[in-house]
Amino acid sequence: MTKLTIIAFDGTRYDFDAADGSTVMENAVRNSVPGIDAECGGACACATCHVYVDETWVEKVGGPAPMEEDMLDFAADVRPNSRLSCQIKIAPALDGLVVHVPERQA
């Protein structure tokens, strides 16, 4: 299991033991984290699971693939550290990952 922290817009911290191979979005939905709507269910066909990767993790998580970049065009308040949580797969190298939920989803 890999440690994952999701910080909601109001500052509430959600700490999980996430299964390797799952996604940040799956863990957020399974644990009812507010602000992660995930309308497409993880198919990278919407931008309602948008998160900000904590600055200390940006390099390890890496950037979005071209398809994800296209979907981020539909997200609100995109930043350089924006990612779709459905596209971030949990792996041992991401143990301790922290992401932040934006104020709103598009």
Side-chain angles (χ1 to χ4, degrees), residues 31-55:
N31 291 285
S32 302
V33 174
I36 302 292
D37 300 332
E39 290 176 4
C40 75
C44 197
C46 72
T48 61
C49 69
H50 174 217
V51 295
Y52 302 121
V53 175
D54 192 85
E55 293 295 335

Side-chain angles (χ1 to χ4, degrees), residues 5-6 10 14 18 25 32 37 47 49 51 57-58 63 66-68 79 82 84 99:
T5 297
I6 302 174
D10 68 1
Y14 298 84
M25 182 274 303
S32 302
D37 300 332
C49 69
V51 295
W57 285 95
V58 169
M67 185 173 167
E68 181 181 354
R79 300 178 185 169
S82 288
L84 297 181
V99 299

Side-chain angles (χ1 to χ4, degrees), residues 3-103:
K3 299 286 186 197
L4 167 65
T5 297
I6 302 174
I7 301 175
F9 182 74
D10 68 1
T12 304
R13 186 180 175 103
Y14 298 84
D15 295 304
F16 310 110
D17 288 322
D20 293 335
S22 66
T23 65
V24 171
M25 182 274 303
E26 290 168 336
N27 287 280
V29 169
R30 188 176 304 119
N31 291 285
S32 302
V33 174
I36 302 292
D37 300 332
E39 290 176 4
C40 75
C44 197
C46 72
T48 61
C49 69
H50 174 217
V51 295
Y52 302 121
V53 175
D54 192 85
E55 293 295 335
T56 60
W57 285 95
V58 169
E59 191 172 312
K60 276 194 175 181
V61 171
M67 185 173 167
E68 181 181 354
E69 282 182 352
D70 290 345
M71 293 313 310
L72 281 167
D73 288 341
F74 298 102
D77 305 318
V78 174
R79 300 178 185 169
N81 60 331
S82 288
R83 290 292 308 270
L84 297 181
S85 61
C86 68
Q87 299 302 298
I88 303 172
K89 289 219 182 267
I90 301 298
L94 296 181
D95 190 39
L97 175 63
V98 177
V99 299
H100 302 263
V101 179
E103 181 176 10

